[in-house]
Amino acid sequence: MTPGMLERELRALGVRAGGVLLVHTSFRAVRPVDGGPLGLIRALRGAVGPAGTLVMPTMTDGETVFDPRTTPSHGMGITAELFWREPGVVRSGHPGGSFAAEGPEAARICAPQPLSPPHGPDSPVGRVHDLEGQILLLGVGHSENTTLHLAEALAGVPYEVSHPTVIEVDGAPRTVLVAETDHCCRGFNAADAWLRALGLEREGRVGNATARLVGARDLVTVALERLRADPLVFLCAPGAGCEECDLARASVGRSGPGIG
Ligand SMILES: [Zn+2]
């Protein structure tokens, strides 16, 4: 697969030239690509064009002081890890929940943000949403779709879990607790059926990967409606044996009005 072929597939899927595109990807699912992950990045850049902005998650484990110029991402895949290291790419400063962006809206998307919640309205995913960006899931499902945490924050869901995160205070490392709406995120996969039923998700193939494309506004609108009907809709059922979701459930009622 050449970058040019992938670019045509991305356009056929519905990626908008000149728009903001937030990409969650597993290169393993897309390959083989000429040029490897950098070839995929070239295809994505080509699809949004010079007037478009490309965004990827570059989250870190929070175990060391975060330096956007050097700290490797954690569990975000090789494509995102190579993307933030490319010249001209901006990286945001959240010690656990950073994103990288390249293009005209990159500085706005990566502007400073509050520590908590990492993915609220005033965060990279919140700004992609404000800019009416598109979300591309390339070889991954909605369980990787960080923008659903934005919907949780906007809905004011009643659960939150705090993660120890190292930040620098007066030149010295200090561990602080960062509250976020965390759980196993398998429940996010329900968004597929919700979006399909409304015709709001484009599905196709890009390289060898299953690709899903959705507008950030559409996604958040649909998720908010479901969260209003059931604020715990994204958590695994009690007794399902999911430790992470049990932890989130246990926080309900303890954490005040919710993180949003
Ligand atoms: Zn779970």
Side-chain angles (χ1 to χ4, degrees), residues 147-184:
T147 303
L148 286 167
H149 287 303
L150 170 65
E152 291 179 313
L154 292 170
V157 295
Y159 48 87
E160 65 175 38
V161 176
S162 291
H163 292 292
T165 303
V166 177
I167 61 168
E168 197 173 77
V169 180
D170 299 329
R174 182 188 295 176
T175 301
V176 296
L177 288 174
V178 176
E180 57 182 301
T181 56
D182 203 17
H183 45 92
C184 77

Side-chain angles (χ1 to χ4, degrees), residues 142-143 145 147-149 151-152 155 157 159 183 185-203 212-215 217-235:
H142 283 284
S143 55
N145 190 347
T147 303
L148 286 167
H149 287 303
E152 291 179 313
V157 295
Y159 48 87
H183 45 92
C185 295
R186 282 192 291 268
F188 281 174
N189 287 321
D192 256 335
W194 302 343
L195 294 164
R196 274 181 200 147
L198 297 166
L200 295 174
E201 181 162 86
R202 303 281 301 258
E203 293 173 83
R212 298 170 173 85
L213 184 73
V214 60
R217 295 264 181 117
D218 287 338
L219 175 77
V220 168
T221 301
V222 168
L224 273 176
E225 205 169 293
R226 298 288 177 154
L227 284 165
R228 283 193 189 111
D230 175 8
L232 304 183
V233 68
F234 285 134
L235 303 185

Side-chain angles (χ1 to χ4, degrees), residues 55 90-93 99-101 105-112 124 127:
V55 188
V90 183
R91 194 178 187 195
S92 67
F99 281 71
E105 301 288 358
R108 174 172 169 186
I109 289 165
C110 295
R127 295 159 193 152

Side-chain angles (χ1 to χ4, degrees), residues 184 186 236 242 245:
C184 77
R186 282 192 291 268
C236 295
C242 178
C245 289

